[in-house]
Each structure stands twice: as structure tokens, then as C-alpha cells.
Amino acid sequence: MKRHLLITGGAGFIGSNFISYLLENSNYYITNVDSLTYAGNLENIQSFVKSNRCRSIQADIGEKTELSKVFDQDYFAIINFAAESHVDRSIEDAFPFIHTNIIGTYNLLQAVITGKANKMIQISTDEVYGSLEPNDSPFTETTSLAPNNPYSASKASADLLVRSYFQTYQLPLTVTRCSNNYGPMQHTEKFIPKVITRALNNIEIPLYGDGLNIRDWIYVEDHCRAIHAVLEKGLAGEVYNIGGSEEKTNREIIDYILEKLRKDEKLIKHVADRKGHDRRYSMDSSKISRELGWRPTISFHEGIQRTIQWYRQNEQKNG
Ligand code: NAD
């Protein structure tokens, strides 16, 4: 039997990697819905729309009437990647984050209520848990939500809506929360592609504050495998944390990439810290490992090699 998935935000970084991954590693038929904001890249979807198992529709998930275009059929599952995703932009103007990340999620939940999809996976982030001190234990699925910027607040709001729809209506809804992703097809406004593309072009690389903020990095393909495991084996009403177990300071990342590219550290330009900049994120992924048998397989060393190679080959297409 043909099983159809509705993937939102498939022209963006993780959504496009996930669709490519599924076309290679599953038999699903896929509808991608994306409004093609500045973050949606047509180049990202060109490879998979050639497949007879994938179609792409331009629509805004925050606009119910537009979104109804995609429900010319029912779906086995919705996987909601679509989001405004850049913290700095949310500090400038939170409204698009509320529109897409909260109202968009609400519209998709309503589609599940009306039977247009059997289940939904909400793709969320470790940022909903707030910030850790250097010696704190990693976030678990039961850590309280404590978002510190409008982006993470909008994602936490969506997670709570999903939780409430599970509790109230007993719908098959699951949330995944992942740490910072890197890899091919990421917009160059994000940290790792910015460092790589600027270093390749000998352009100054901004470093926030003292550069000692810590993130737990995961190669995007490992994240895609985790979502696939949740799609096949995840339980309704559950949250699954996904992390790469590669905690690094921003300064370490820049130094590592400069060394790989044989560039001078004089390219680093210290700039004022981001407002409300979370100090440290760290994920405890033991639940998904134990219950679904997933663990990250691509080391930071290997992932950065692949990412650098991709940006060398595709530089003109991005940013
Ligand atoms: P991205 O910004 O690269 O892509 C987002 C995509 O959503 C774009 O193609 C954009 O056009 C689309 N979009 C935005 N608003 C829309 C709307 N109203 N209707 C339809 N499409 C819309 O983001 P990403 O980095 O690929 O992140 C995908 C998801 O994963 C997000 O929900 C994000 O919160 C989550 N996440 C990201 C990371 C990370 O490190 N990038 C980590 C954890 C979780």
C-alpha cells in the first residue's frame, strides 16, 4: 500500500535533507509544502522533485485556506519542519515566528483532528529548555521548558499545543527535540556555514561575546535517521531528545574550521554578544537510544569534512 507523508518546510535545511534521505531509505510518497521564505531554497528541492514519489506545493502553513491545497488527499503522517528558525531575526521581529511556528502548528493539528492525517511529528529544538551552566546535567525530556528568546518561546508554545492536543483529544502526536544541526544545504546565515563560506572567501568571521557559548552539534543525516526511527517506532504523546554528543564552544568550532581550511585566525572579529544569549545546551539522548535503538554515527570530524566539501562545491547556490 502507498503511504503518503506531508512534510512541511522541505525547501529548508533539515526538511530537504530529510526528504532526500527518505527517498533513498524508504518507500514513502511525499508532499512537500513550503511557502519559500528567504530560508527556503529552490535548489534544495530540485533534486527530489524529479522523483515520481515527491511533489512540492507552495503554501503558507499559517494560512488555513492556502494550506487546504495540500489536503487533496489524506496522509499517513505530517512531519512539521516549517518554521522561522533564526534566533537573531526573532529578536528583531517576533511576529513571523508566532505566525508560522505557533499558528502554523495549530493549523496542522486541526488537520489531524479532522482526519486529514493519521499522526504528526513536531520537529522541535533543545532551545526550548533554556540555558545550562557548565557543570549542569544535560537536558532530559522531563526538564522544564524555559525558553529565553522569541524563537525558542514560539517553539516551546508549539510543543505545548501539541502536548495539549494529545492530552485533550488523544491524537497520535509526538515531539522530537534536537540539538544544533550542521551539514549540506544550510543557509549561510547560520553559524557553521557562515564560518565555512566566509573563511573560504577570506571575509571576517564575527564571533559573539567571549566565544565560549557551548552547543551540542549533530550532523543532519543523524538527525534524519532519528526522525525516521520516530516515524516508524515512536509512541504517541512522547517527547524524544536527539543530540550529537559533540559539545563545542563557538571559538573551538571556528578554530577547527580555520585549521581545516588553512586560514589565519586574524579573520575572527569579536562582536557584542547576542541579547539573551544562552550559554550552554547539552542533550541527554538516552531515551531514544534505549527505546528506538538510535544513536549518532557521524563524528564531528567526519561531518565537518563532508560539510566543507559540500560548501566548496555549491558555494554559489547558497546564501
Ligand atoms: P530553515 O529555516 O532552514 O527552513 C525552514 C523552512 O520552512 C524554509 O524552507 C521556509 O521557507 C519554510 N517556511 C517558513 N515559514 C513557512 C510557512 N509559514 N509555511 C510554509 N513553509 C514555511 O530551518 P531548519 O534549520 O531546516 O529547521 C527545520 C526545523 O527544525 C525547524 O522547526 C527548527 O525549529 C527545527 N530545528 C532546527 C535545528 C537546527 O539546528 N537547524 C535544530 C533543532 C530543531
Side-chain angles (χ1 to χ4, degrees):
M1 200 185 77
K2 285 183 180 176
R3 290 188 304 177
H4 292 266
L5 297 179
L6 178 62
I7 299 206
T8 73
F13 166 46
I14 306 174
S16 59
N17 275 283
F18 186 65
I19 293 175
S20 300
Y21 170 87
L22 278 189
L23 288 174
E24 270 183 38
N25 296 286
S26 79
N27 297 319
Y28 285 110
Y29 284 73
I30 294 164
T31 296
N32 166 42
V33 56
D34 197 300
S35 62
L36 296 176
T37 67
Y38 78 95
N41 188 340
L42 279 174
E43 296 279 349
N44 288 356
I45 58 177
Q46 256 167 17
S47 58
F48 52 72
V49 289
K50 288 182 201 132
S51 160
N52 62 5
R53 282 168 47 213
C54 188
R55 64 175 180 160
S56 210
I57 296 173
Q58 186 169 359
D60 180 344
I61 63 162
E63 299 292 341
K64 211 166 196 163
T65 318
E66 261 187 53
L67 182 61
S68 65
K69 294 197 269 204
V70 306
F71 293 110
D72 55 351
Q73 62 179 39
D74 293 343
Y75 293 95
F76 172 70
I78 299 173
I79 307 180
N80 184 25
F81 293 90
E84 289 292 336
S85 67
H86 193 41
V87 174
D88 290 344
R89 287 177 186 261
S90 78
I91 294 168
E92 293 299 316
D93 179 11
F95 183 73
F97 291 74
I98 289 160
H99 173 80
T100 295
N101 302 3
I102 304 177
I103 297 174
T105 303
Y106 157 78
N107 285 337
L108 296 168
L109 289 169
Q110 286 299 116
V112 182
I113 280 202
T114 53
K116 301 270 178 220
N118 293 328
K119 59 180 179 175
M120 176 165 146
I121 301 174
Q122 172 68 6
I123 305 300
S124 187
T125 164
D126 58 359
E127 302 202 22
V128 298
Y129 296 120
S131 186
L132 292 170
E133 295 300 323
N135 295 321
D136 287 348
S137 301
F139 301 126
T140 70
E141 290 80 358
T142 55
T143 303
S144 305
L145 303 191
N148 291 320
N149 58 64
Y151 162 68
S152 52
S154 68
K155 294 295 291 184
S157 304
D159 287 12
L160 291 178
L161 263 184
V162 173
R163 179 195 147 82
S164 74
Y165 272 60
F166 171 74
Q167 296 291 344
T168 309
Y169 307 106
Q170 303 295 304
L171 296 173
L173 308 170
T174 309
V175 175
T176 62
R177 297 192 180 125
C178 191
S179 61
N180 278 49
N181 286 224
Y182 67 100
M185 300 189 278
Q186 188 168 27
H187 195 289
T188 53
E189 71 180 357
K190 299 289 170 55
F191 182 61
I192 286 183
K194 182 185 282 180
V195 175
I196 294 173
T197 52
R198 285 181 169 244
L200 285 172
N201 292 299
N202 300 308
I203 300 170
E204 277 180 345
I205 299 164
L207 177 62
Y208 279 134
D210 61 9
L212 299 181
N213 300 68
I214 295 172
R215 300 293 179 261
D216 174 1
W217 290 94
I218 183 169
Y219 189 67
V220 65
E221 191 182 306
D222 275 331
H223 186 191
C224 293
R225 279 194 311 101
I227 299 165
H228 191 198
V230 172
L231 177 65
E232 302 301 343
K233 299 180 273 185
L235 297 182
E238 294 294 321
V239 173
Y240 296 96
N241 280 358
I242 303 162
S245 299
E246 295 272 16
E247 282 186 53
K248 309 234 174 292
T249 67
N250 290 347
R251 178 68 204 227
E252 280 176 305
I253 303 256
I254 296 186
D255 287 345
Y256 189 70
I257 292 171
L258 290 179
E259 189 194 311
K260 288 264 154 221
L261 296 176
R262 297 201 175 85
K263 299 285 180 172
D264 200 303
E265 69 169 35
K266 286 194 190 117
L267 283 176
I268 299 172
K269 184 186 175 209
H270 290 271
V271 298
D273 208 354
R274 168 192 278 169
K275 289 181 193 141
H277 202 178
D278 288 336
R279 195 63 175 168
R280 174 174 168 242
Y281 304 138
S282 173
M283 285 298 243
D284 178 338
S285 313
S286 55
K287 177 177 171 179
I288 190 170
S289 297
R290 199 175 51 246
E291 296 184 7
L292 307 186
W294 173 89
R295 50 188 49 75
T297 57
I298 297 160
S299 68
F300 187 73
H301 176 77
E302 169 67 20
I304 283 290
Q305 281 288 109
R306 294 190 196 181
T307 308
I308 288 174
Q309 194 181 358
W310 190 86
Y311 279 94
R312 274 192 198 281
Q313 287 166 353
N314 295 274
E315 224 187 326
Q316 273 78 41
K317 295 182 191 167
N318 281 274

